[in-house]
Amino acid sequence: MQRRRFLGLTTAAALGMTAAVTGCDSLGGEPGNVTLRLVAADYDLTGGDTTKKYWKNLVAAFEAKHPGVKVELRVESWDDVDRKVAEMVKAGKSPDIAQIGAYADYAAAGQLYAADELLSIPVQANFLAPLVAAGEHKRTQYGLPFVASTRPLFYNTKLFEEADVKPPTSWDELAEAAEKLKENGVRTPFALPLGPEEAQAEALMWLLSGGGGWTDGTDHYTVDSEANIRTFEWLKKKLVGKGLTGPIAPGKLNRKAAFAAFARGEVGMLNGHPSLLKEAAKKGVEVGQVPLPGSEGPAKAAMGVADWIMGFKQNGHRKEIGDFLNFVFSDENVLKFAGDNDLLPVTVTASTRMETEPDHANLRVFLKTLPDSQLPPVGKTSWAKVSENVKQNIGKAVTPDGHPADILAKIGRVATAAESAE
C-alpha cells in the first residue's frame, strides 16, 4: 500500500502474524502443540497501536477456538517489514505467516504454500477476481490479498465551486478544469506525482485510462505501446507543458508531498487514495470523488492495489496456517480491518456488506471500481526491477526536453530483459 491501508483486516492480520512451530522444533512448547510465527505490517498512520490491537484480538479469538495452536505476533513498520521478512527467510528462519507487500520471489523459490493447500474452497472462491489474478505466479495463486484499494479522482469541492467547474469525465474536461483552476489562482490545479516514491502506480493509472498498461493480455511487458506513448505525450503537452501541475516538476514530486498539499487546500485535483480522506477532513478540506477520466470519457479500467498475506512452508504447519488464514478471512475480520483503516475488503461477501453500510459511504467510489480494476504485474519476479526503473525514470518523459517515446522505449528494454531472465 507507506503505503497502503487496505482491506483484509483479519485476513491481513492473521497472515501477517508469526509463523508456526511445533513443540518439537526450536521454539519449544508442549508436545503436540504448534506455535505459529506471524509477521504483519503496521497500518496505523498516526503512530498508534491499532494494528497490533487488531491482531492481538484476532489471535486471542483464534486461539480460543484452536487450543492446540499458539500464534506469536510481530508487527513491523512498512519501512522495515519486507526487508525483515526477507532477512528471516535468508537466515533459514522463515515466519509461518507474513503479511507484507510482495510474494512473487518467495513463490518462485518454492517457499510458499499455494492458496488451495491452505484455504477452504468457499474462502478461496470468495476473493475478488482481479486480486486472485494478481496473486498468481505462473497460474497458481500463492499471494492471498490482505487489503486492497483503488484510485478515483479526488477534487477540492471548494476550489471547484470558486472556479465554477464541474468534475471531469474525460481528459479534455480535466485539462479544461485545470485551466480554470489556474486562472482562479489555484497553486497546483492537478498534482502529478511522478517522483520516485510511487511513480509506477501514478503512471499506471494514466496508462489504463488511456487504454494501455504495463503488460498486455498475455502478461508480457508492453511499456512503449502506442497507447502508452499517446498517454504521456498528452500529459506532457496538455498538463505539464501548460503549467497546470504546480511549481514542483512531476518527476520531483512524491505522492506524500502531493497528498499533504491537497490536505492543505493547495491542490485542485489528484488521483486519490482512501488514506487521504481523513487527512483532508482533519484540515477542513471537503473532498469530491469521481471515477478517473479517460481519454474519451470515463476510464474503462481503474488501477487496483493490494497487500498480501502468505504461508511459508519451512516449518511445515500447513494445516494450522490454513486454519488461521481461513479465520482471518471471515467477513467480520475483513470488514473490521478494512473499515478501521479506510481500505477495501478483498472478498465478495465483505465488499457487498460494506457497500450497504452507511458508515462506509465515503468508500463507495472505491468499491465500485475494484471488481473491474487492474493491478500491477506483481506476480512477475521481474516487476521489482522494472518498477524501480519506472520510479527513477518515468518523470523524465514529461520534462521540457523529454521525449515520451524514447523514455518508454528505454524502460521497455529493461523490462523485456528482466522478463527474459525470469
Side-chain angles (χ1 to χ4, degrees), residues 1-6 45 148-154 198 205 255 259 270-278 287 289 303 305 341-343 363 366:
M1 92 78 174
Q2 122 131 347
R3 313 200 324 212
R4 328 106 22 209
R5 310 307 184 251
F6 308 80
L45 291 172
S149 178
T150 58
R151 306 288 175 85
L153 180 75
F154 282 10
E198 207 187 26
M205 291 180 241
R255 189 189 73 168
F259 281 14
L270 50 63
N271 294 335
H273 181 286
S275 64
L276 180 55
L277 293 174
K278 283 185 178 178
V287 181
Q289 303 176 51
M303 184 190 73
V305 185
N341 292 281
D342 280 335
L343 294 169
L363 296 176
F366 299 89

PDB file of all heavy atoms in Angstrom, residues 1-6 45 148-154 198 205 255 259 270-278 287 289 303 305 341-343 363 366:
ATOM      1  N   MET A   1       0.344  -0.204   0.000  1.00  0.00           N
ATOM      2  CA  MET A   1       0.000   0.000   0.000  1.00  0.00           C
ATOM      3  C   MET A   1       1.224   0.726   0.000  1.00  0.00           C
ATOM      4  O   MET A   1       0.031   1.044   0.962  1.00  0.00           O
ATOM      5  CB  MET A   1      -0.249  -0.391  -0.947  1.00  0.00           C
ATOM      6  CG  MET A   1      -0.756  -1.186  -1.944  1.00  0.00           C
ATOM      7  SD  MET A   1      -1.824  -0.814  -1.878  1.00  0.00           S
ATOM      8  CE  MET A   1      -2.285  -1.131  -2.472  1.00  0.00           C
ATOM      9  N   GLN A   2       4.254   2.336   3.148  1.00  0.00           N
ATOM     10  CA  GLN A   2       3.854   3.730   3.344  1.00  0.00           C
ATOM     11  C   GLN A   2       2.528   3.679   3.146  1.00  0.00           C
ATOM     12  O   GLN A   2       1.985   4.450   2.983  1.00  0.00           O
ATOM     13  CB  GLN A   2       4.702   4.340   2.443  1.00  0.00           C
ATOM     14  CG  GLN A   2       4.000   5.143   1.382  1.00  0.00           C
ATOM     15  CD  GLN A   2       4.516   6.327   1.260  1.00  0.00           C
ATOM     16  OE1 GLN A   2       5.095   6.542   1.969  1.00  0.00           O
ATOM     17  NE2 GLN A   2       4.239   7.172   0.473  1.00  0.00           N
ATOM     18  N   ARG A   3       2.353   2.974   3.215  1.00  0.00           N
ATOM     19  CA  ARG A   3       1.820   2.585   1.977  1.00  0.00           C
ATOM     20  C   ARG A   3       0.451   2.182   2.189  1.00  0.00           C
ATOM     21  O   ARG A   3      -0.259   2.901   2.798  1.00  0.00           O
ATOM     22  CB  ARG A   3       2.317   1.334   1.517  1.00  0.00           C
ATOM     23  CG  ARG A   3       3.490   1.122   1.561  1.00  0.00           C
ATOM     24  CD  ARG A   3       4.397   0.418   1.096  1.00  0.00           C
ATOM     25  NE  ARG A   3       4.477  -0.832   0.710  1.00  0.00           N
ATOM     26  CZ  ARG A   3       5.479  -1.475   0.804  1.00  0.00           C
ATOM     27  NH1 ARG A   3       6.453  -0.953   1.317  1.00  0.00           N
ATOM     28  NH2 ARG A   3       5.538  -2.619   0.399  1.00  0.00           N
ATOM     29  N   ARG A   4      -0.054   1.207   1.784  1.00  0.00           N
ATOM     30  CA  ARG A   4      -1.450   1.061   1.641  1.00  0.00           C
ATOM     31  C   ARG A   4      -2.089   0.697   2.942  1.00  0.00           C
ATOM     32  O   ARG A   4      -1.533   0.046   3.763  1.00  0.00           O
ATOM     33  CB  ARG A   4      -1.748  -0.069   0.717  1.00  0.00           C
ATOM     34  CG  ARG A   4      -0.787  -0.226  -0.256  1.00  0.00           C
ATOM     35  CD  ARG A   4       0.097  -0.654  -0.842  1.00  0.00           C
ATOM     36  NE  ARG A   4       0.685  -1.839  -0.911  1.00  0.00           N
ATOM     37  CZ  ARG A   4       1.918  -1.919  -1.189  1.00  0.00           C
ATOM     38  NH1 ARG A   4       2.612  -0.905  -1.367  1.00  0.00           N
ATOM     39  NH2 ARG A   4       2.456  -3.034  -1.291  1.00  0.00           N
ATOM     40  N   ARG A   5      -3.343   1.054   3.092  1.00  0.00           N
ATOM     41  CA  ARG A   5      -4.124   0.634   4.231  1.00  0.00           C
ATOM     42  C   ARG A   5      -5.326  -0.026   3.622  1.00  0.00           C
ATOM     43  O   ARG A   5      -6.313   0.613   3.349  1.00  0.00           O
ATOM     44  CB  ARG A   5      -4.596   1.823   5.020  1.00  0.00           C
ATOM     45  CG  ARG A   5      -3.512   2.811   5.364  1.00  0.00           C
ATOM     46  CD  ARG A   5      -2.378   2.313   5.986  1.00  0.00           C
ATOM     47  NE  ARG A   5      -1.383   3.170   6.411  1.00  0.00           N
ATOM     48  CZ  ARG A   5      -0.256   3.208   5.792  1.00  0.00           C
ATOM     49  NH1 ARG A   5      -0.099   2.622   4.663  1.00  0.00           N
ATOM     50  NH2 ARG A   5       0.713   3.830   6.358  1.00  0.00           N
ATOM     51  N   PHE A   6      -5.239  -1.294   3.276  1.00  0.00           N
ATOM     52  CA  PHE A   6      -6.331  -1.889   2.539  1.00  0.00           C
ATOM     53  C   PHE A   6      -7.202  -2.735   3.418  1.00  0.00           C
ATOM     54  O   PHE A   6      -7.000  -2.881   4.581  1.00  0.00           O
ATOM     55  CB  PHE A   6      -5.812  -2.795   1.447  1.00  0.00           C
ATOM     56  CG  PHE A   6      -4.832  -2.120   0.597  1.00  0.00           C
ATOM     57  CD1 PHE A   6      -3.540  -1.997   1.023  1.00  0.00           C
ATOM     58  CD2 PHE A   6      -5.193  -1.563  -0.598  1.00  0.00           C
ATOM     59  CE1 PHE A   6      -2.639  -1.340   0.260  1.00  0.00           C
ATOM     60  CE2 PHE A   6      -4.280  -0.912  -1.360  1.00  0.00           C
ATOM     61  CZ  PHE A   6      -3.010  -0.810  -0.935  1.00  0.00           C
ATOM     62  N   LEU A  45      -1.528   5.032  10.728  1.00  0.00           N
ATOM     63  CA  LEU A  45      -0.892   6.223  10.164  1.00  0.00           C
ATOM     64  C   LEU A  45      -0.480   7.233  11.223  1.00  0.00           C
ATOM     65  O   LEU A  45       0.279   8.156  10.957  1.00  0.00           O
ATOM     66  CB  LEU A  45      -1.849   6.909   9.185  1.00  0.00           C
ATOM     67  CG  LEU A  45      -2.142   6.180   7.877  1.00  0.00           C
ATOM     68  CD1 LEU A  45      -3.258   6.896   7.131  1.00  0.00           C
ATOM     69  CD2 LEU A  45      -0.911   6.065   7.012  1.00  0.00           C
ATOM     70  N   ALA A 148      -7.089  -4.035   0.008  1.00  0.00           N
ATOM     71  CA  ALA A 148      -6.996  -3.521  -1.356  1.00  0.00           C
ATOM     72  C   ALA A 148      -7.409  -2.067  -1.397  1.00  0.00           C
ATOM     73  O   ALA A 148      -7.941  -1.513  -0.433  1.00  0.00           O
ATOM     74  CB  ALA A 148      -7.869  -4.347  -2.296  1.00  0.00           C
ATOM     75  N   SER A 149      -7.146  -1.459  -2.543  1.00  0.00           N
ATOM     76  CA  SER A 149      -7.558  -0.079  -2.771  1.00  0.00           C
ATOM     77  C   SER A 149      -7.618   0.179  -4.266  1.00  0.00           C
ATOM     78  O   SER A 149      -6.998  -0.534  -5.055  1.00  0.00           O
ATOM     79  CB  SER A 149      -6.566   0.895  -2.134  1.00  0.00           C
ATOM     80  OG  SER A 149      -6.939   2.228  -2.393  1.00  0.00           O
ATOM     81  N   THR A 150      -8.394   1.156  -4.628  1.00  0.00           N
ATOM     82  CA  THR A 150      -8.366   1.679  -5.992  1.00  0.00           C
ATOM     83  C   THR A 150      -8.118   3.184  -5.892  1.00  0.00           C
ATOM     84  O   THR A 150      -8.062   3.735  -4.806  1.00  0.00           O
ATOM     85  CB  THR A 150      -9.686   1.420  -6.747  1.00  0.00           C
ATOM     86  OG1 THR A 150     -10.758   2.016  -6.013  1.00  0.00           O
ATOM     87  CG2 THR A 150      -9.929  -0.080  -6.896  1.00  0.00           C
ATOM     88  N   ARG A 151      -7.990   3.854  -7.026  1.00  0.00           N
ATOM     89  CA  ARG A 151      -7.650   5.277  -7.022  1.00  0.00           C
ATOM     90  C   ARG A 151      -8.613   6.077  -7.903  1.00  0.00           C
ATOM     91  O   ARG A 151      -8.407   6.179  -9.113  1.00  0.00           O
ATOM     92  CB  ARG A 151      -6.218   5.477  -7.518  1.00  0.00           C
ATOM     93  CG  ARG A 151      -5.170   4.664  -6.789  1.00  0.00           C
ATOM     94  CD  ARG A 151      -4.914   5.161  -5.379  1.00  0.00           C
ATOM     95  NE  ARG A 151      -3.995   4.279  -4.672  1.00  0.00           N
ATOM     96  CZ  ARG A 151      -2.670   4.361  -4.755  1.00  0.00           C
ATOM     97  NH1 ARG A 151      -2.115   5.274  -5.522  1.00  0.00           N
ATOM     98  NH2 ARG A 151      -1.916   3.527  -4.061  1.00  0.00           N
ATOM     99  N   PRO A 152      -9.669   6.635  -7.335  1.00  0.00           N
ATOM    100  CA  PRO A 152     -10.500   7.556  -8.117  1.00  0.00           C
ATOM    101  C   PRO A 152      -9.851   8.933  -8.185  1.00  0.00           C
ATOM    102  O   PRO A 152      -8.783   9.163  -7.610  1.00  0.00           O
ATOM    103  CB  PRO A 152     -11.798   7.606  -7.303  1.00  0.00           C
ATOM    104  CG  PRO A 152     -11.360   7.364  -5.904  1.00  0.00           C
ATOM    105  CD  PRO A 152     -10.172   6.423  -5.982  1.00  0.00           C
ATOM    106  N   LEU A 153     -10.502   9.845  -8.880  1.00  0.00           N
ATOM    107  CA  LEU A 153     -10.058  11.235  -8.924  1.00  0.00           C
ATOM    108  C   LEU A 153     -10.632  11.968  -7.714  1.00  0.00           C
ATOM    109  O   LEU A 153     -11.841  11.931  -7.464  1.00  0.00           O
ATOM    110  CB  LEU A 153     -10.538  11.906 -10.206  1.00  0.00           C
ATOM    111  CG  LEU A 153     -10.121  13.373 -10.372  1.00  0.00           C
ATOM    112  CD1 LEU A 153      -8.661  13.468 -10.743  1.00  0.00           C
ATOM    113  CD2 LEU A 153     -10.986  14.073 -11.423  1.00  0.00           C
ATOM    114  N   PHE A 154      -9.771  12.619  -6.939  1.00  0.00           N
ATOM    115  CA  PHE A 154     -10.193  13.485  -5.845  1.00  0.00           C
ATOM    116  C   PHE A 154     -10.163  14.935  -6.327  1.00  0.00           C
ATOM    117  O   PHE A 154      -9.247  15.319  -7.058  1.00  0.00           O
ATOM    118  CB  PHE A 154      -9.235  13.373  -4.650  1.00  0.00           C
ATOM    119  CG  PHE A 154      -9.416  12.141  -3.806  1.00  0.00           C
ATOM    120  CD1 PHE A 154     -10.233  11.093  -4.192  1.00  0.00           C
ATOM    121  CD2 PHE A 154      -8.751  12.037  -2.592  1.00  0.00           C
ATOM    122  CE1 PHE A 154     -10.387   9.963  -3.399  1.00  0.00           C
ATOM    123  CE2 PHE A 154      -8.897  10.914  -1.789  1.00  0.00           C
ATOM    124  CZ  PHE A 154      -9.723   9.873  -2.186  1.00  0.00           C
ATOM    125  N   GLU A 198       6.295   6.650  -5.673  1.00  0.00           N
ATOM    126  CA  GLU A 198       5.290   5.716  -6.198  1.00  0.00           C
ATOM    127  C   GLU A 198       4.921   6.029  -7.639  1.00  0.00           C
ATOM    128  O   GLU A 198       3.773   5.901  -8.053  1.00  0.00           O
ATOM    129  CB  GLU A 198       4.033   5.729  -5.316  1.00  0.00           C
ATOM    130  CG  GLU A 198       3.272   4.420  -5.357  1.00  0.00           C
ATOM    131  CD  GLU A 198       1.944   4.467  -4.637  1.00  0.00           C
ATOM    132  OE1 GLU A 198       1.349   5.549  -4.521  1.00  0.00           O
ATOM    133  OE2 GLU A 198       1.494   3.405  -4.198  1.00  0.00           O
ATOM    134  N   MET A 205      -2.063   4.385 -13.495  1.00  0.00           N
ATOM    135  CA  MET A 205      -3.417   4.951 -13.537  1.00  0.00           C
ATOM    136  C   MET A 205      -3.665   5.662 -14.863  1.00  0.00           C
ATOM    137  O   MET A 205      -4.728   5.523 -15.480  1.00  0.00           O
ATOM    138  CB  MET A 205      -3.606   5.936 -12.381  1.00  0.00           C
ATOM    139  CG  MET A 205      -3.642   5.294 -11.016  1.00  0.00           C
ATOM    140  SD  MET A 205      -3.865   6.555  -9.733  1.00  0.00           S
ATOM    141  CE  MET A 205      -2.367   6.343  -8.785  1.00  0.00           C
ATOM    142  N   ARG A 255       4.291  11.255  -3.901  1.00  0.00           N
ATOM    143  CA  ARG A 255       2.886  11.159  -3.519  1.00  0.00           C
ATOM    144  C   ARG A 255       2.622  11.782  -2.151  1.00  0.00           C
ATOM    145  O   ARG A 255       1.626  12.474  -1.951  1.00  0.00           O
ATOM    146  CB  ARG A 255       2.443   9.693  -3.512  1.00  0.00           C
ATOM    147  CG  ARG A 255       0.947   9.525  -3.338  1.00  0.00           C
ATOM    148  CD  ARG A 255       0.554   8.093  -3.110  1.00  0.00           C
ATOM    149  NE  ARG A 255       0.922   7.651  -1.770  1.00  0.00           N
ATOM    150  CZ  ARG A 255       0.499   6.513  -1.227  1.00  0.00           C
ATOM    151  NH1 ARG A 255      -0.285   5.716  -1.918  1.00  0.00           N
ATOM    152  NH2 ARG A 255       0.870   6.173  -0.011  1.00  0.00           N
ATOM    153  N   PHE A 259      -0.125  14.640  -1.530  1.00  0.00           N
ATOM    154  CA  PHE A 259      -1.263  14.454  -0.633  1.00  0.00           C
ATOM    155  C   PHE A 259      -1.290  15.520   0.457  1.00  0.00           C
ATOM    156  O   PHE A 259      -2.353  16.036   0.820  1.00  0.00           O
ATOM    157  CB  PHE A 259      -1.201  13.061  -0.001  1.00  0.00           C
ATOM    158  CG  PHE A 259      -1.685  11.945  -0.900  1.00  0.00           C
ATOM    159  CD1 PHE A 259      -1.870  12.153  -2.249  1.00  0.00           C
ATOM    160  CD2 PHE A 259      -1.942  10.696  -0.383  1.00  0.00           C
ATOM    161  CE1 PHE A 259      -2.313  11.130  -3.088  1.00  0.00           C
ATOM    162  CE2 PHE A 259      -2.391   9.667  -1.196  1.00  0.00           C
ATOM    163  CZ  PHE A 259      -2.578   9.877  -2.553  1.00  0.00           C
ATOM    164  N   LEU A 270      -6.254  15.463  -7.876  1.00  0.00           N
ATOM    165  CA  LEU A 270      -5.195  14.447  -7.965  1.00  0.00           C
ATOM    166  C   LEU A 270      -5.844  13.076  -7.938  1.00  0.00           C
ATOM    167  O   LEU A 270      -7.029  12.930  -7.627  1.00  0.00           O
ATOM    168  CB  LEU A 270      -4.164  14.589  -6.843  1.00  0.00           C
ATOM    169  CG  LEU A 270      -4.578  14.700  -5.373  1.00  0.00           C
ATOM    170  CD1 LEU A 270      -5.301  13.488  -4.852  1.00  0.00           C
ATOM    171  CD2 LEU A 270      -3.326  14.946  -4.524  1.00  0.00           C
ATOM    172  N   ASN A 271      -5.062  12.077  -8.306  1.00  0.00           N
ATOM    173  CA  ASN A 271      -5.529  10.699  -8.211  1.00  0.00           C
ATOM    174  C   ASN A 271      -5.401  10.269  -6.755  1.00  0.00           C
ATOM    175  O   ASN A 271      -4.302  10.236  -6.207  1.00  0.00           O
ATOM    176  CB  ASN A 271      -4.704   9.793  -9.129  1.00  0.00           C
ATOM    177  CG  ASN A 271      -4.925  10.127 -10.591  1.00  0.00           C
ATOM    178  OD1 ASN A 271      -5.970  10.661 -10.970  1.00  0.00           O
ATOM    179  ND2 ASN A 271      -3.946   9.831 -11.430  1.00  0.00           N
ATOM    180  N   GLY A 272      -6.532   9.958  -6.124  1.00  0.00           N
ATOM    181  CA  GLY A 272      -6.574   9.826  -4.677  1.00  0.00           C
ATOM    182  C   GLY A 272      -6.427   8.423  -4.141  1.00  0.00           C
ATOM    183  O   GLY A 272      -6.400   7.440  -4.872  1.00  0.00           O
ATOM    184  N   HIS A 273      -6.328   8.354  -2.814  1.00  0.00           N
ATOM    185  CA  HIS A 273      -6.141   7.114  -2.067  1.00  0.00           C
ATOM    186  C   HIS A 273      -7.000   7.229  -0.813  1.00  0.00           C
ATOM    187  O   HIS A 273      -7.124   8.320  -0.243  1.00  0.00           O
ATOM    188  CB  HIS A 273      -4.659   6.973  -1.704  1.00  0.00           C
ATOM    189  CG  HIS A 273      -4.317   5.730  -0.949  1.00  0.00           C
ATOM    190  ND1 HIS A 273      -4.642   5.550   0.375  1.00  0.00           N
ATOM    191  CD2 HIS A 273      -3.670   4.601  -1.327  1.00  0.00           C
ATOM    192  CE1 HIS A 273      -4.207   4.362   0.775  1.00  0.00           C
ATOM    193  NE2 HIS A 273      -3.622   3.775  -0.234  1.00  0.00           N
ATOM    194  N   PRO A 274      -7.615   6.142  -0.342  1.00  0.00           N
ATOM    195  CA  PRO A 274      -8.503   6.246   0.819  1.00  0.00           C
ATOM    196  C   PRO A 274      -7.871   6.913   2.033  1.00  0.00           C
ATOM    197  O   PRO A 274      -8.560   7.623   2.775  1.00  0.00           O
ATOM    198  CB  PRO A 274      -8.841   4.782   1.115  1.00  0.00           C
ATOM    199  CG  PRO A 274      -8.711   4.090  -0.190  1.00  0.00           C
ATOM    200  CD  PRO A 274      -7.594   4.781  -0.895  1.00  0.00           C
ATOM    201  N   SER A 275      -6.581   6.706   2.231  1.00  0.00           N
ATOM    202  CA  SER A 275      -5.939   7.270   3.425  1.00  0.00           C
ATOM    203  C   SER A 275      -5.960   8.795   3.430  1.00  0.00           C
ATOM    204  O   SER A 275      -5.827   9.423   4.482  1.00  0.00           O
ATOM    205  CB  SER A 275      -4.492   6.782   3.533  1.00  0.00           C
ATOM    206  OG  SER A 275      -3.715   7.254   2.456  1.00  0.00           O
ATOM    207  N   LEU A 276      -6.134   9.410   2.258  1.00  0.00           N
ATOM    208  CA  LEU A 276      -6.131  10.868   2.167  1.00  0.00           C
ATOM    209  C   LEU A 276      -7.445  11.480   2.660  1.00  0.00           C
ATOM    210  O   LEU A 276      -7.479  12.648   3.054  1.00  0.00           O
ATOM    211  CB  LEU A 276      -5.857  11.299   0.722  1.00  0.00           C
ATOM    212  CG  LEU A 276      -5.820  12.799   0.412  1.00  0.00           C
ATOM    213  CD1 LEU A 276      -4.811  13.520   1.305  1.00  0.00           C
ATOM    214  CD2 LEU A 276      -5.486  13.012  -1.063  1.00  0.00           C
ATOM    215  N   LEU A 277      -8.516  10.694   2.668  1.00  0.00           N
ATOM    216  CA  LEU A 277      -9.816  11.236   3.041  1.00  0.00           C
ATOM    217  C   LEU A 277      -9.804  11.814   4.456  1.00  0.00           C
ATOM    218  O   LEU A 277     -10.271  12.930   4.692  1.00  0.00           O
ATOM    219  CB  LEU A 277     -10.889  10.158   2.908  1.00  0.00           C
ATOM    220  CG  LEU A 277     -11.188   9.676   1.481  1.00  0.00           C
ATOM    221  CD1 LEU A 277     -12.162   8.513   1.525  1.00  0.00           C
ATOM    222  CD2 LEU A 277     -11.742  10.808   0.648  1.00  0.00           C
ATOM    223  N   LYS A 278      -9.287  11.041   5.400  1.00  0.00           N
ATOM    224  CA  LYS A 278      -9.265  11.500   6.792  1.00  0.00           C
ATOM    225  C   LYS A 278      -8.327  12.679   6.980  1.00  0.00           C
ATOM    226  O   LYS A 278      -8.636  13.621   7.724  1.00  0.00           O
ATOM    227  CB  LYS A 278      -8.857  10.350   7.710  1.00  0.00           C
ATOM    228  CG  LYS A 278      -9.960   9.338   7.964  1.00  0.00           C
ATOM    229  CD  LYS A 278      -9.527   8.287   8.973  1.00  0.00           C
ATOM    230  CE  LYS A 278     -10.651   7.310   9.255  1.00  0.00           C
ATOM    231  NZ  LYS A 278     -10.237   6.245  10.218  1.00  0.00           N
ATOM    232  N   VAL A 287     -13.722  16.786   0.165  1.00  0.00           N
ATOM    233  CA  VAL A 287     -13.227  16.046  -0.991  1.00  0.00           C
ATOM    234  C   VAL A 287     -14.385  15.497  -1.815  1.00  0.00           C
ATOM    235  O   VAL A 287     -15.280  14.830  -1.290  1.00  0.00           O
ATOM    236  CB  VAL A 287     -12.330  14.882  -0.548  1.00  0.00           C
ATOM    237  CG1 VAL A 287     -11.799  14.114  -1.770  1.00  0.00           C
ATOM    238  CG2 VAL A 287     -11.177  15.379   0.313  1.00  0.00           C
ATOM    239  N   GLN A 289     -15.295  12.954  -5.107  1.00  0.00           N
ATOM    240  CA  GLN A 289     -14.695  11.782  -5.738  1.00  0.00           C
ATOM    241  C   GLN A 289     -15.478  11.389  -6.982  1.00  0.00           C
ATOM    242  O   GLN A 289     -16.703  11.320  -6.945  1.00  0.00           O
ATOM    243  CB  GLN A 289     -14.704  10.589  -4.785  1.00  0.00           C
ATOM    244  CG  GLN A 289     -14.028  10.785  -3.462  1.00  0.00           C
ATOM    245  CD  GLN A 289     -14.186   9.562  -2.577  1.00  0.00           C
ATOM    246  OE1 GLN A 289     -13.907   8.446  -2.985  1.00  0.00           O
ATOM    247  NE2 GLN A 289     -14.650   9.771  -1.349  1.00  0.00           N
ATOM    248  N   MET A 303      -6.915   1.409 -11.660  1.00  0.00           N
ATOM    249  CA  MET A 303      -5.823   0.659 -11.050  1.00  0.00           C
ATOM    250  C   MET A 303      -6.242   0.159  -9.671  1.00  0.00           C
ATOM    251  O   MET A 303      -6.791   0.897  -8.867  1.00  0.00           O
ATOM    252  CB  MET A 303      -4.577   1.529 -10.896  1.00  0.00           C
ATOM    253  CG  MET A 303      -3.393   0.750 -10.344  1.00  0.00           C
ATOM    254  SD  MET A 303      -2.001   1.805  -9.879  1.00  0.00           S
ATOM    255  CE  MET A 303      -2.639   2.567  -8.387  1.00  0.00           C
ATOM    256  N   VAL A 305      -4.785  -1.917  -6.136  1.00  0.00           N
ATOM    257  CA  VAL A 305      -3.554  -2.183  -5.389  1.00  0.00           C
ATOM    258  C   VAL A 305      -3.905  -3.135  -4.260  1.00  0.00           C
ATOM    259  O   VAL A 305      -4.999  -3.053  -3.690  1.00  0.00           O
ATOM    260  CB  VAL A 305      -2.945  -0.893  -4.798  1.00  0.00           C
ATOM    261  CG1 VAL A 305      -1.613  -1.183  -4.127  1.00  0.00           C
ATOM    262  CG2 VAL A 305      -2.761   0.163  -5.872  1.00  0.00           C
ATOM    263  N   ASN A 341      -9.271   1.138   8.708  1.00  0.00           N
ATOM    264  CA  ASN A 341      -8.131   1.753   8.020  1.00  0.00           C
ATOM    265  C   ASN A 341      -8.510   2.430   6.700  1.00  0.00           C
ATOM    266  O   ASN A 341      -7.634   2.785   5.908  1.00  0.00           O
ATOM    267  CB  ASN A 341      -7.060   0.682   7.767  1.00  0.00           C
ATOM    268  CG  ASN A 341      -6.427   0.192   9.046  1.00  0.00           C
ATOM    269  OD1 ASN A 341      -5.559   0.848   9.610  1.00  0.00           O
ATOM    270  ND2 ASN A 341      -6.855  -0.968   9.522  1.00  0.00           N
ATOM    271  N   ASP A 342      -9.832   2.603   6.463  1.00  0.00           N
ATOM    272  CA  ASP A 342     -10.296   3.212   5.208  1.00  0.00           C
ATOM    273  C   ASP A 342      -9.727   2.494   3.988  1.00  0.00           C
ATOM    274  O   ASP A 342      -9.278   3.116   3.013  1.00  0.00           O
ATOM    275  CB  ASP A 342      -9.944   4.702   5.151  1.00  0.00           C
ATOM    276  CG  ASP A 342     -10.916   5.550   5.959  1.00  0.00           C
ATOM    277  OD1 ASP A 342     -12.062   5.112   6.144  1.00  0.00           O
ATOM    278  OD2 ASP A 342     -10.520   6.635   6.419  1.00  0.00           O
ATOM    279  N   LEU A 343      -9.776   1.180   4.031  1.00  0.00           N
ATOM    280  CA  LEU A 343      -9.326   0.358   2.915  1.00  0.00           C
ATOM    281  C   LEU A 343     -10.476  -0.524   2.452  1.00  0.00           C
ATOM    282  O   LEU A 343     -11.566  -0.503   3.028  1.00  0.00           O
ATOM    283  CB  LEU A 343      -8.111  -0.463   3.321  1.00  0.00           C
ATOM    284  CG  LEU A 343      -6.886   0.417   3.607  1.00  0.00           C
ATOM    285  CD1 LEU A 343      -5.777  -0.377   4.273  1.00  0.00           C
ATOM    286  CD2 LEU A 343      -6.379   1.068   2.329  1.00  0.00           C
ATOM    287  N   LEU A 363     -16.354   5.267   0.892  1.00  0.00           N
ATOM    288  CA  LEU A 363     -15.544   4.294   0.159  1.00  0.00           C
ATOM    289  C   LEU A 363     -16.274   3.694  -1.045  1.00  0.00           C
ATOM    290  O   LEU A 363     -15.723   2.844  -1.743  1.00  0.00           O
ATOM    291  CB  LEU A 363     -15.112   3.152   1.094  1.00  0.00           C
ATOM    292  CG  LEU A 363     -14.194   3.548   2.251  1.00  0.00           C
ATOM    293  CD1 LEU A 363     -13.923   2.342   3.150  1.00  0.00           C
ATOM    294  CD2 LEU A 363     -12.871   4.110   1.747  1.00  0.00           C
ATOM    295  N   PHE A 366     -14.586   3.795  -4.443  1.00  0.00           N
ATOM    296  CA  PHE A 366     -13.504   2.816  -4.494  1.00  0.00           C
ATOM    297  C   PHE A 366     -14.068   1.407  -4.703  1.00  0.00           C
ATOM    298  O   PHE A 366     -13.569   0.633  -5.510  1.00  0.00           O
ATOM    299  CB  PHE A 366     -12.698   2.846  -3.193  1.00  0.00           C
ATOM    300  CG  PHE A 366     -12.035   4.147  -2.886  1.00  0.00           C
ATOM    301  CD1 PHE A 366     -12.696   5.128  -2.178  1.00  0.00           C
ATOM    302  CD2 PHE A 366     -10.735   4.401  -3.307  1.00  0.00           C
ATOM    303  CE1 PHE A 366     -12.077   6.334  -1.878  1.00  0.00           C
ATOM    304  CE2 PHE A 366     -10.114   5.610  -3.020  1.00  0.00           C
ATOM    305  CZ  PHE A 366     -10.792   6.573  -2.308  1.00  0.00           C
TER     306      PHE A 366
END
